[in-house]
Amino acid sequence: MHPAVELHAARDVNDVPSIVRGAVKLGLIEAMAVLIFSLASRFLPSGPVETIVLAIVLLAGVAAVILLPGLWTRARTIDGIAGAAGIGLSAAVVFLLIDVTILQNIGTYSNRWLEVGGGSNWWYHPVWWMAGTFLPWMGAWLLANQSVKRGQPSAVMAFATVVVCAVVAAAVAVIIGVPGAGWNLPTFGVAFLPGVALATALSALGTRGG
């Protein structure tokens, strides 16, 4: 799974100002997605409408986190992939600053959000840092592999592959009885972590060293 590192690094964008700009933009996008998700989960009655709205917000948010950093860094080599991971990690910091100073203090979160971690920030902040770095890292790697094989990446194809792999991962988790897994949106959301890794591994097939 090594995208063609011999391609000219000049095609990748990983200078510090670009990483900082990308981090701020992605952090704001994450904050907006979480705000919309939390408001929908609080004010929409439980049922199909709530699930559909939350699923749309989840897909849009995950797509942004997975794809935008790699597109912004024009990931072709390890430099662009690393830059995308840097954007993801820094964006997580930007989001968490917004989260603890604004979102948690304006009454958007329902008790469902707080009860998951016992009302503490410390359960999900480290998880956000890790997931916020892992998803763009894998996404940029996927886009780089596409570029090796096709000459240019396809964000639509990349995310479609990730979604399919996430659905498969969620189904497998439910079927084999992974604790907490069920036919629901939270399981599908968590399944994006193995899903994007599987999609990236599949994208490496047919590349040099893949």
Side-chain angles (χ1 to χ4, degrees), residues 61-206:
V62 170
V65 173
I66 290 176
L67 298 174
L68 287 180
L71 293 174
W72 289 337
T73 62
R74 302 174 191 169
R76 299 295 188 279
T77 73
I78 194 65
D79 289 332
I81 296 171
I87 289 176
L89 175 59
S90 303
V93 175
V94 172
F95 164 76
L96 292 173
L97 289 174
I98 297 172
D99 183 53
V100 298
T101 58
I102 300 175
L103 298 182
Q104 293 185 24
N105 297 312
I106 59 176
T108 60
Y109 292 151
S110 69
N111 289 334
R112 285 181 289 177
W113 284 59
L114 296 177
E115 289 169 357
V116 172
S120 171
N121 287 326
W122 292 106
W123 76 272
Y124 84 91
H125 281 191
V127 172
W128 197 280
W129 298 334
M130 290 184 286
T133 306
F134 178 77
L135 292 175
W137 175 44
M138 288 288 101
W141 205 342
L142 195 164
L143 293 171
N145 286 333
Q146 285 186 332
S147 297
V148 170
K149 292 190 290 186
R150 297 161 49 93
Q152 61 181 5
S154 170
V156 173
M157 181 179 296
F159 192 62
T161 305
V162 172
V163 170
V164 171
C165 290
V167 170
V168 171
V172 170
V174 174
I175 292 171
I176 68 176
V178 172
W183 301 107
N184 52 44
L185 193 59
T187 298
F188 178 54
V190 173
F192 271 99
L193 293 170
V196 72
L198 178 58
T200 302
L202 291 175
S203 73
L205 297 178

